[in-house]
Amino acid sequence: GRIYVNKRKYDSAITYLQQAIKLDSDRSYISGWCYAYIGQAHVMLGEKEKGITELKKAIELHKTDNSVSYARQILNRSENNPQDDVDALLTQGRKDEAIVLLYKMTRDENTAAYANEIIGRIYLDQKKYDSAIHYLQQAIKLDNDKTYISGWSYACLGQAHVMSGVIEIGITELKKAIELHKTNNSVSYAQSVLDRMSYEPHWVII
């Protein structure tokens, strides 16, 4: 069940985690962790009320300090962090609804950089490159601490420029993502775009 949570296969995760609780007749640490992960899975599916109920069960059961801490972390985020709502909508493929929520988040200085980054990445996926570039540039501008948001924004910004035919600028932005090295995934993503350019006939690097 925990593996399926990590793979974002939340329905399958819930099935196995519920079975684990059923089989754990002594209500051991297994149940503690399962309630925490069931709660997380429900939250990520957009079923926040169910998720909160399961997370509270993990806390009340209090089988290990780690499982309680994990459940509290998810609970606090689900109650106070709209990013979880965005993640849940995107997981379900409800991008239009996610964008509506993200637009609201751009008006809050605490979430504006994140919101612009995700809007840019959605537009990139939809091949709306000019719009993607606008929002990704805004995300970088707002991300004063140059966090993972900038790392991903540079990588996606580079790809958007490349796909728009502005190769030189695209390469520059991709290299910034790699040099910034904020997450391994954003670096790998940027590098994969550069690597594809080396053998695509219309992306010849001179």
Side-chain angles (χ1 to χ4, degrees):
R2 290 167 69 171
I3 290 172
Y4 280 132
V5 168
N6 290 333
K7 291 183 176 180
R8 300 186 177 185
K9 297 181 179 179
Y10 300 118
D11 288 328
S12 297
I14 289 169
T15 298
Y16 282 98
L17 292 165
Q18 287 175 334
Q19 186 66 11
I21 292 170
K22 183 178 179 181
L23 294 169
D24 183 32
S25 55
D26 295 329
R27 287 294 176 269
S28 69
Y29 73 93
I30 292 172
S31 292
W33 276 110
C34 287
Y35 281 123
Y37 277 99
I38 289 174
Q40 181 182 6
H42 279 302
V43 168
M44 296 308 295
L45 286 170
E47 300 165 348
K48 185 176 286 189
E49 189 173 338
K50 287 183 180 179
I52 289 173
T53 298
E54 299 299 324
L55 291 165
K56 288 182 176 178
K57 287 180 183 178
I59 294 168
E60 291 166 5
L61 199 59
H62 205 302
K63 282 299 174 178
T64 71
D65 289 342
N66 286 342
S67 62
V68 170
S69 176
Y70 188 85
R72 281 181 175 152
Q73 180 184 4
I74 302 298
L75 183 61
N76 289 337
R77 286 180 57 196
S78 65
E79 290 180 332
N80 303 313
N81 191 348
Q83 293 182 20
D84 281 334
D85 294 329
V86 172
D87 289 342
L89 290 170
L90 292 176
T91 297
Q92 297 170 60
R94 295 157 62 185
K95 292 182 180 179
D96 290 341
E97 293 174 65
I99 286 178
V100 171
L101 178 55
L102 287 162
Y103 279 145
K104 294 178 182 178
M105 291 169 66
T106 61
R107 298 194 288 270
D108 183 342
E109 64 179 14
N110 295 314
T111 56
Y114 164 84
N116 276 279
E117 177 220 344
I118 300 302
I119 293 171
R121 291 172 68 174
I122 291 172
Y123 282 139
L124 175 62
D125 187 55
Q126 294 176 340
K127 300 183 179 181
K128 298 177 181 179
Y129 301 122
D130 289 339
S131 296
I133 289 168
H134 168 77
Y135 282 99
L136 293 166
Q137 287 175 333
Q138 189 67 10
I140 293 167
K141 181 179 179 181
L142 293 168
D143 185 32
N144 296 323
D145 297 327
K146 291 295 175 279
T147 67
Y148 73 93
I149 290 172
S150 291
W152 273 110
S153 294
Y154 278 123
C156 293
L157 185 58
Q159 183 181 10
H161 278 300
V162 168
M163 298 306 294
S164 297
V166 190
I167 307 300
E168 187 173 344
I169 293 177
I171 292 171
T172 298
E173 302 298 342
L174 291 165
K175 287 182 177 179
K176 286 180 184 177
I178 294 169
E179 290 166 6
L180 198 59
H181 205 300
K182 282 300 174 178
T183 72
N184 290 334
N185 286 341
S186 62
V187 170
S188 296
Y189 187 88
Q191 188 63 58
S192 71
V193 177
L194 283 173
D195 290 344
R196 289 202 306 272
M197 291 172 64
S198 67
Y199 58 80
E200 290 286 346
H202 57 291
W203 288 351
V204 176
I205 302 174
I206 301 175

